[in-house]
Amino acid sequence: MSLADFRSEVRAWCADHVPADWRSDQTGVPDAEFVAFQKAWFAQLHAAGFAVPHWPARWGGGMPVDQQIVLYSELAAHDAPRLVLAFVGIHHAASTLLVAGTEEQRARHLPAILDGEIWVQGFSEPEAGSDLAGLRTTARRVDDTYLVNGQKIWASGGLHADWCLLLARTDPEAPKRRGISYFLLDMTTPGIEVRPIRNAIGESHFCEIFLDDVVIPAANLIGAENEGWQVAQATLGAERGMTMLELTERLGNAGFRWLVQACSPVMDARVADRLAQFEIEIAGLRGLCRDLVSRGESEATGAADASVVKLFYSELLQRMTDFGAEIGGLAAHTTLTKPASSGWESGAWMLDFIGSWEWTIPGGASEIQRTIIAERGLGLPREPSPSEAS
């Protein structure tokens, strides 16, 4: 099928399936309605073959990269809802399983994700900050199981998750990055408590996860014991790589379109100049992202390429939403709700701007990305650790 024919096919599907009033219907809805809507929308995309185009063909994907670019650009242009709940499962969990999972683990979880299994990422901890290797959650081997104790924080969607990608320390005596193991955790296991973190406007997107003598079967270990740090790079690589294709297209379509609309009543030379600058940056981001994904098929990407794209996107998102909040004036500052199934480009500018700061943290904060770019991309000397600096 030619790209033109494929684009026509996706456009026709979007015209028939994207709910026309989903933004108003998903604004201020109870949690149960949000979850039901997300699962139903994922099922529609899956039935059309559009839910996991980046997966291997064996597991329901196999779409060529040029078609993936068309797919995401058309979904964004038609203002389709985002797969908020499925995001960790189809990107982070799937990447981890495909890179480091056993055949049994893949066969158990990849079809389940397509059936609606929800995942959460259990990486961050209260006292570790951006230093992921500083985690303190422990996993002690007991026969054919691990006994886990600790706490995770900023777990997006944890309240609805069926499974968790969990990092825990299995060798407290080893150097920080060498004593960590990677687990698949069933969230129905006894000893798990999930507490929502309610923000200033009443949303509970983030959660804390408390683990008290939680038993994980040894069969749920991903990769070798004490080598979880290396496995985690596959998860983080997904967050900095393929996920950016969809997010970039959304920023360049709905996000920029709404920014132009917001600016129309106050358009002058200065505003037009800012919009032109944003359009240039979006074009550059699209080029970088598409190049990264295309080269990723042949594994010809550089060690810091995904970090460049992630950093560029997150800071451009921040600048655009900041400008939208400025242009939107008092009305933008007093809007307290946004559609539950939207991304960071909902058009509720102040809320979008606040949310944009979230994106500069997960998958490695912007400071971490700059360090990766400097050390792995440019070959600059490694930044000393606090112990070395003292």
Side-chain angles (χ1 to χ4, degrees):
M1 180 186 296
S2 71
L3 281 183
D5 288 341
F6 180 69
R7 187 179 294 277
S8 297
E9 177 185 304
V10 176
R11 284 180 177 173
W13 186 91
C14 287
D16 291 338
H17 291 86
V18 174
D21 299 322
W22 75 267
R23 286 191 173 274
S24 58
D25 292 345
Q26 280 285 287
T27 300
V29 296
D31 222 32
E33 288 187 30
F34 161 67
V35 174
F37 177 85
Q38 281 283 305
K39 291 192 172 185
W41 176 239
F42 180 81
Q44 287 190 65
L45 287 168
H46 176 37
F50 298 156
V52 289
H54 56 292
W55 287 16
R58 175 188 174 191
W59 299 107
M63 185 181 291
V65 168
D66 55 356
Q67 288 190 2
Q68 291 183 50
I69 293 170
V70 169
L71 171 64
Y72 287 129
S73 66
E74 289 299 324
L75 287 172
H78 286 82
D79 192 27
R82 281 198 62 232
L83 292 175
V84 179
L85 276 184
F87 191 82
V88 174
I90 64 177
H91 291 295
H92 307 160
S95 294
T96 302
L97 289 163
L98 291 168
V99 170
T102 65
E103 190 62 28
E104 291 76 16
Q105 289 167 341
R106 295 187 192 108
R108 161 63 183 84
H109 289 292
L110 292 176
I113 291 171
L114 292 178
D115 287 338
E117 187 175 79
I118 304 301
W119 285 73
V120 66
Q121 191 168 297
F123 282 17
S124 298
E125 296 192 4
E127 298 181 15
S130 295
D131 181 14
L132 181 59
L135 63 87
R136 298 183 180 182
T137 295
T138 61
R140 180 169 58 88
R141 183 72 181 249
V142 181
D143 299 324
D144 291 330
T145 65
Y146 288 86
L147 193 64
V148 181
N149 286 277
Q151 178 186 354
K152 298 295 177 176
I153 198 168
W154 311 125
S156 302
L159 210 56
H160 312 296
D162 302 302
W163 284 79
C164 175
L165 301 171
L166 183 75
L167 289 181
R169 190 164 298 285
T170 42
D171 185 355
E173 304 301 323
K176 287 199 306 183
R177 290 173 175 79
R178 298 180 186 172
I180 296 171
S181 295
Y182 199 120
F183 299 95
L184 307 178
L185 171 62
D186 183 345
M187 291 295 285
T188 64
T189 306
I192 298 175
E193 181 184 359
V194 180
R195 298 180 191 172
I197 301 174
R198 196 167 299 278
N199 65 20
I201 60 172
E203 295 178 343
S204 301
H205 176 61
F206 293 118
C207 296
E208 294 177 282
I209 301 175
F210 295 86
L211 307 159
D212 184 11
D213 284 344
V214 174
V215 177
I216 300 179
N220 287 7
L221 177 70
I222 292 276
E225 185 177 289
N226 296 325
E227 294 184 7
W229 178 261
Q230 290 78 7
V231 178
Q233 302 316 301
T235 305
L236 295 173
E239 192 162 7
R240 300 168 188 157
M242 182 59 75
T243 61
M244 301 311 306
L245 184 59
E246 177 198 359
L247 294 172
T248 295
E249 290 303 321
R250 287 186 177 274
L251 185 63
N253 279 276
F256 186 68
R257 184 169 67 245
W258 289 329
L259 185 59
V260 172
Q261 291 172 358
C263 291
S264 295
V266 294
M267 188 67 72
D268 59 20
R270 292 173 301 173
V271 173
D273 183 66
R274 291 289 297 276
L275 290 175
Q277 182 61 40
F278 285 135
E279 189 168 22
I280 291 169
E281 291 187 82
I282 288 170
L285 175 61
R286 275 179 161 153
L288 282 173
C289 189
R290 293 177 180 186
D291 177 63
L292 170 66
V293 173
S294 298
R295 286 187 291 116
E297 281 201 318
S298 61
E299 299 182 353
T301 57
D305 290 358
S307 290
V308 171
V309 172
K310 199 266 187 184
L311 179 66
F312 193 167
Y313 167 82
S314 59
E315 299 198 350
L316 176 56
L317 172 68
Q318 204 167 72
R319 291 194 299 275
M320 284 180 60
T321 53
D322 183 19
F323 187 58
E326 178 184 344
I327 290 295
L330 184 60
H333 289 247
T334 54
T335 299
L336 299 180
T337 57
K338 61 185 288 188
S341 295
S342 67
W344 293 271
E345 63 297 307
S346 73
W349 292 111
M350 180 52 68
L351 299 182
D352 287 344
F353 176 55
I354 293 171
S356 73
W357 288 82
E358 171 192 335
W359 191 253
T360 63
I361 299 171
S366 292
E367 293 78 8
I368 299 295
Q369 305 308 325
R370 287 186 168 88
T371 298
I372 292 172
I373 293 167
E375 295 177 3
R376 302 181 192 173
L378 302 177
L380 297 179
R382 187 174 65 86
E383 183 178 17
S385 66
S387 60
E388 292 171 334
S390 59

